[in-house]
Amino acid sequence: MTVQDIPLNDGTTIPQLGFGVFQIDPAETQAAVEKALEVGYRHLDTAKIYRNEGGVGAALAASGLDRDDVFVTTKLWNSNQGYDSTLAAFDASMDRLGLEVLDLYLIHWPTPEKDLFVDTWKAFEKLKADGRVRSIGVSNFRVQDLQRLLDEGLTVPSVNQIELHPALTQDALRAFHAEHDIATEAWSPLAQGAVLDEQAVLDAADAHDATPGQVVLAWHLAQGNIVFPKSVTPERIESNFGATDVSLSDDEIAAISSINRDERVGPDPSTLN
Ligand code: NDP
């Protein structure tokens, strides 16, 4: 099982397969993350709003792993957008994580009605210039939100973390990312389970003696998406990590891509404020 390191546009790299902790109860987070680290995951994706940064930090401390061996992402919540409030929220997240330097900080949502993400992004640029965070990126940004940062002449985000899975392939955003050297992170990579019984997924699972979860994750990896499936089930935490061993054919990838029905399992960034 070898997880690829994906190069980012600022010269750093990120492990392509990680572990997400959305909807993991804060009291269960340390145990789930410890299991993930034991299995071999070296990339963790949390957020202030998940209320479990503390559990992630506790698992990291208990693991005895070198700080530089684990890539950690957290996200700025919507109510903290704005220049000064971003700097304060970052410090609070770092206290909960128990870290000195963060690998990746993301603006969680563009929240178009607030219209604060340009000021917020300037605070992100300061955090990077000050060496508090190695890479900065965004999440749930639409093409017009990314274009706005480019038009303002600001740093090009290293990643955009968006909902992406076989039922929502996001072709237009992925093409924009490729054109501007922005890495694509796919959230809810398994569509929270909703695509695991699709025939194209089951056929490939049969052919490769793999689980449906492994097949969907292998579909992401083959296209260069960065993924961090969530699970609190030890067997799934382990089997999902095995997706790196599954190599799909071009026909299988195309069949899984044709599941697309532009269907979200989470909120629409245009209306979440
Ligand atoms: P996922 O697509 O990762 O699906 C998680 C769900 O699928 C859980 O119910 C889990 O159940 C189940 N599951 C996991 N593995 C398997 C498997 N092999 N077979 C069957 N079922 C499985 O959804 P998430 O929404 O959690 O997304 C992953 C991560 O993306 C989050 O944890 C978070 O880090 C990030 N995210 C970011 C968002 C953003 O706005 N930026 C929004 C949403 C997510 P169980 O736990 O019971 O095993």
Side-chain angles (χ1 to χ4, degrees), residues 242-256:
T244 54
D245 288 339
V246 178
S247 181
L248 301 175
S249 70
D250 290 347
D251 285 350
E252 287 168 330
I253 292 168
I256 296 168

Side-chain angles (χ1 to χ4, degrees), residues 20 22 45 139-140 161 188 190 192 230-233 236 240:
F22 176 46
D45 185 274
S139 177
N140 299 301
Q161 181 178 122
S188 295
L190 304 171
Q192 298 186 341
K230 169 267 178 184
S231 179
V232 291
T233 314
R236 288 173 174 171
N240 288 344

Side-chain angles (χ1 to χ4, degrees), residues 19-24 44-47 50 75 77 106-109 139-140 161-163 165 186-194 196 211-214 217 228-237 239-240 265-267:
F19 184 69
V21 299
F22 176 46
Q23 290 176 327
I24 301 188
L44 305 171
D45 185 274
T46 184
Y50 303 168
K75 313 183 192 88
W77 187 239
L106 304 180
I107 301 181
H108 207 144
W109 293 88
S139 177
N140 299 301
Q161 181 178 122
I162 56 174
E163 182 180 345
H165 43 67
W187 65 253
S188 295
L190 304 171
Q192 298 186 341
L196 297 179
T211 69
Q214 287 172 331
L217 295 171
F228 21 83
K230 169 267 178 184
S231 179
V232 291
T233 314
E235 301 76 47
R236 288 173 174 171
I237 295 175
S239 70
N240 288 344
V265 297

Side-chain angles (χ1 to χ4, degrees), residues 1-81:
M1 294 182 203
T2 313
V3 176
Q4 299 289 320
D5 281 326
I6 299 282
L8 298 180
N9 63 11
D10 58 5
T12 63
T13 62
I14 182 171
Q16 192 180 10
L17 174 60
F19 184 69
V21 299
F22 176 46
Q23 290 176 327
I24 301 188
D25 190 296
E28 290 176 34
T29 302
Q30 181 174 350
V33 174
E34 282 182 5
K35 173 68 186 174
L37 293 172
E38 185 192 307
V39 164
Y41 292 83
R42 292 292 180 268
H43 165 183
L44 305 171
D45 185 274
T46 184
K48 181 213 175 181
I49 195 68
Y50 303 168
R51 296 181 303 114
N52 56 21
E53 291 170 311
V56 170
L60 275 171
S63 73
L65 288 164
D66 276 356
R67 171 67 191 92
D68 286 347
D69 289 343
V70 186
F71 189 102
V72 182
T73 300
T74 194
K75 313 183 192 88
L76 176 86
W77 187 239
N78 303 340
S79 56
N80 298 119
Q81 282 212 34

Side-chain angles (χ1 to χ4, degrees), residues 131-209:
R132 305 289 315 281
V133 52
R134 295 197 175 102
S135 298
I136 55 175
V138 296
S139 177
N140 299 301
F141 272 41
R142 306 161 299 171
V143 165
Q144 66 258 48
D145 305 321
L146 295 168
Q147 189 62 55
R148 173 115 177 258
L149 295 181
L150 300 179
D151 291 347
E152 298 266 352
L154 300 171
T155 306
V156 179
S158 290
V159 314
N160 188 16
Q161 181 178 122
I162 56 174
E163 182 180 345
L164 199 174
H165 43 67
L168 180 70
T169 53
Q170 298 269 28
D171 300 339
L173 256 174
R174 288 184 74 248
F176 189 89
H177 293 169
E179 190 184 332
H180 296 280
D181 198 14
I182 299 168
T184 299
E185 293 197 332
W187 65 253
S188 295
L190 304 171
Q192 298 186 341
V195 293
L196 297 179
D197 55 2
E198 292 284 345
Q199 197 56 50
V201 173
L202 297 174
D203 288 347
D206 265 354
H208 293 271
D209 196 17

